[in-house]
Amino acid sequence: MSIKDNLLQRVQQQLEFIYAEVELNISYLDFSKMLVETITQYSDLQQPEPHKNLWTEKDAILITYGDSITQYDSQHNVLEKPLHTLHRFLNDYIAPTINSVHILPFYPYSSDDGFSVINYVSVNESLGEWSDVNAIAKDYNLMADLVINHCSSRSLWYANFKKGKGIGHDYFMPGDPNWDLTQVVRPRTSELLKLAKTKKGEKFVWCTFSHDQVDLNFQNPNVLNEMVNIIAFYIRQGVKVFRLDAVAFLWKKPGTSCINLEETHEAVRLFRTLIEHVAPNAIIITETNIPNRENLAYFGNANEAHCIYNFSLPPLLINTLLTGNNRYLKQWMMSMPPAQNGTCYFNFIASHDGVGLRPAEGLLSDKEINELVGTIQSFGGRVSLRTLPDGSTRPYEMNIALYDALQGTTKGPDSFNEARFLCAHAIMFAMEGIPGVYIHSMIATQNDYEKVKHTNSNRSINRHRWDELELIQKLNDDTHHNRIFNGMRHLLKVRTKQKAFHPNATQFTLHINEQVFGFWRQSMDRKQSIFCIFNITDELISLTLAEINLVVTDNWWDLVTGNEINDTQEIIELKPYQCMWISNVNS
């Protein structure tokens, strides 16, 4: 059977599963041919290799908006397109320690800092144009958002919906107040259904996130084909990593939770099938800010997402460093299954969004979550809420710059901010998976209260826009920005040289005590071992080599400092928040 015939057969089987309860006006065979023709419009078919790791220890992803760094004149006028500025900053300050970049939605948008897309195939002209995106994609592995669940109420599609004709007029998910929507899981407090005035009368549409973000109706085959068309276009533009935004909400079915439905999982598998047959080295990352067990399901059987966001890591790691106790972080790490070859975790501590609390459900008690939220609020953070099915509200995420979130402990602010911050990243960089570093963590940006005031959005607190010259000055002066930036670059530079830090290398949790967090990594060829040891408290701690199972007959080095640990040394003293990557290979 040819590659094309095999692909058509697989796609048809997947469509039959997804649309089993939908009356289609097209046969499954014709539907399959349409999708295959769409995905191959710019690329030839290729045979994907199953269970292939598309990443190494050299991979790390910088997360940034296209205008996080902008060049201004003295009157605060923008002097050049921000994508030019970003590309220069990447080349001058980020390379070669980070080889990939996630540019958050760079399309025309109407709200939510890009996640309410007006036009999926255009670049926001205030940022630049496709040639600027192409140039960055030539120098770095480019990760881009496929905002798949919804689009802007100011889009041409929605305008055509109101007119009742034209492309997009039937793209949106209808709603009915008489449906059973009591079980629908919501990440927001706004009303789920929005009343729209159209040429054909008043109609309700589904809005999971906001009334400016109208949900797309994937029960319409044309919507699925439109998304495949956009994917094919992005591949042509140099996108290597596809971030499926809010994909857990893709399929709706009244009387259910409308999240993580089997049709949604099969749709992700379908996207994987189509993408890997035209771009075998492309990667799908699912953005599913949900409880841990549900999140893990997006790996499928190594046939769904290549990577999943490790959403439980940020709240657990922050909680560990604020309390000085690693019990919950250790329990979670011990419970996490190793990723199969061809899949891996995407680790992060901070992002453009807040620190999600749903992924901590079942891992931290309500009391511990409330204490965590209280500490973050005392450090100047904000808290965003979601509405439960019974109409009550619950904390959904904490909004704060990570540098400020780690300014102290539950006892209050202290002098260990920088050490604690670097400790958090040393843990994340050493873990199984690919590390993602938010640009404002890389340069230790603090809370932006002015932007919150201006936008009236809690998430703006961690979305500062830097003036390029001001930032470069701070990175060159003796500032906390300079010290953190250089500390982060040092850790990343060391990391990229260690085969034991391959995203799929073996990982075992160490049992030391609740004040010292530790795990062991071993390279896939078993030639390198690294004992990763972290003092997660504000006190000096002494350890014996036996407590970390170090075989003193071998030669060992702390990769962070470059110091050798010899066989006469019986005690290791760890300063507050000190990190050690102890390896039998000095590189």
Side-chain angles (χ1 to χ4, degrees), residues 108-123:
Y109 71 96
S110 55
S111 64
D112 199 16
D113 279 354
F115 286 92
S116 185
V117 179
I118 292 175
N119 186 330
Y120 287 85
V121 294
S122 295
V123 174

Side-chain angles (χ1 to χ4, degrees), residues 373-415:
V373 168
T375 302
I376 292 298
Q377 287 178 313
S378 74
F379 291 162
R382 306 286 195 267
V383 177
S384 297
L385 304 174
R386 68 183 179 97
T387 299
L388 301 180
D390 64 4
S392 63
T393 59
R394 189 172 187 173
Y396 175 71
E397 68 178 14
M398 303 180 296
N399 304 107
I400 191 169
L402 184 63
Y403 187 78
D404 283 337
L406 297 175
Q407 65 183 269
T409 68
T410 53
K411 296 177 288 188
D414 58 29
S415 61

Side-chain angles (χ1 to χ4, degrees), residues 337-386:
Q340 297 183 53
N341 282 332
T343 67
C344 84
Y345 295 107
F346 180 61
N347 297 324
F348 72 108
I349 316 174
S351 73
H352 63 290
D353 288 339
V355 178
L357 293 171
R358 289 213 68 206
E361 292 176 10
L363 302 174
L364 295 175
S365 68
D366 288 347
K367 179 183 177 183
E368 287 153 346
I369 289 176
N370 289 335
E371 289 176 349
L372 174 60
V373 168
T375 302
I376 292 298
Q377 287 178 313
S378 74
F379 291 162
R382 306 286 195 267
V383 177
S384 297
L385 304 174
R386 68 183 179 97

